[in-house]
């Protein structure tokens, strides 16, 4: 079942403001909602990009969005939405959450040693011989 939210979004007022511009003709009912949504998303992404740059990361992640929502008062209404997103791992230098850590840095990823098939089968045979 679809949730009904009781919000008062001044669609008619926004529509009138938009039509004050001589270049704007008729405006569909959904247009003010879409434009407002676009402006909201642009604001959220701009703030999250600033957070990403402060952490010297290459990609914007869910952790960046969470930090933005928690720190910018404008997005307080989204705090319950991001509550389940895990916090990023803290740096061992004690510089706070994500301080100076590039989350996309290849050197931070664990490496796995690869054995050739012959060396691993040889190790298994050696173990069997000991038994």
């Amino acid at each position: 079942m679809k949730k009904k939210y009781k919000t008062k979004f001044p669609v008619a007022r926004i529509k009138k403001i938009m039509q004050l511009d001589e270049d704007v003709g008729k405006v569909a009912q959904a247009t003010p909602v879409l434009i407002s949504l676009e402006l909201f998303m642009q604001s959220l992404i701009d703030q999250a990009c600033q957070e990403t740059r402060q952490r010297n990361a290459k990609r914007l992640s869910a952790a960046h969005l969470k930090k933005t929502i928690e720190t910018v008062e404008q997005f307080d209404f989204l705090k319950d939405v991001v509550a389940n997103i895990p916090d990023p791992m803290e740096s061992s230098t004690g510089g706070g959450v994500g301080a100076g850590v590039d989350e996309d840095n290849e050197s931070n990823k664990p490496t796995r040693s690869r054995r050739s098939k012959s060396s691993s089968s040889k190790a298994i045979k050696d173990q069997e011989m000991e038994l």
Side-chain angles (χ1 to χ4, degrees), residues 5 9 17 22 25 28 33-35 38-39 43 45-46 51 66 79 85 97:
Y5 295 104
F9 189 76
I17 292 170
E22 295 172 2
V33 176
L34 293 174
I35 289 175
E38 181 181 356
L39 293 172
S43 174
I45 297 301
D46 286 344
E51 177 67 29
K66 180 178 182 176
K79 284 185 177 180
I85 296 174
V97 176

Side-chain angles (χ1 to χ4, degrees), residues 10-54:
V11 177
R13 187 180 315 160
I14 294 171
K15 189 174 176 180
K16 285 179 185 176
I17 292 170
M18 290 173 64
Q19 288 177 332
L20 289 175
D21 188 347
E22 295 172 2
D23 295 334
V24 177
K26 290 186 176 184
V27 176
Q29 192 69 20
T31 305
V33 176
L34 293 174
I35 289 175
S36 299
L37 178 62
E38 181 181 356
L39 293 172
F40 165 76
M41 292 300 296
Q42 185 66 45
S43 174
L44 177 61
I45 297 301
D46 286 344
Q47 294 285 332
C49 283
Q50 287 179 357
E51 177 67 29
T52 305
R53 287 185 193 112
Q54 288 174 355

Side-chain angles (χ1 to χ4, degrees), residues 78-122:
L78 293 172
K79 284 185 177 180
D80 59 331
V81 176
V82 298
N84 294 333
I85 296 174
D87 290 327
M89 294 173 49
E90 293 190 20
S91 174
S92 60
T93 60
V97 176
V101 176
D102 184 355
E103 296 171 357
D104 298 325
N105 190 348
E106 297 294 326
S107 64
N108 291 341
K109 294 182 181 178
T111 57
R112 196 185 292 178
S113 63
R114 295 186 181 200
R115 294 185 196 170
S116 67
K117 211 172 196 181
S118 61
S119 66
S120 62
S121 62
K122 182 180 177 188

Side-chain angles (χ1 to χ4, degrees), residues 124-131:
I124 293 171
K125 286 180 184 177
D126 289 343
Q127 288 177 352
E128 289 174 354
M129 295 293 269
E130 290 175 2
L131 296 174

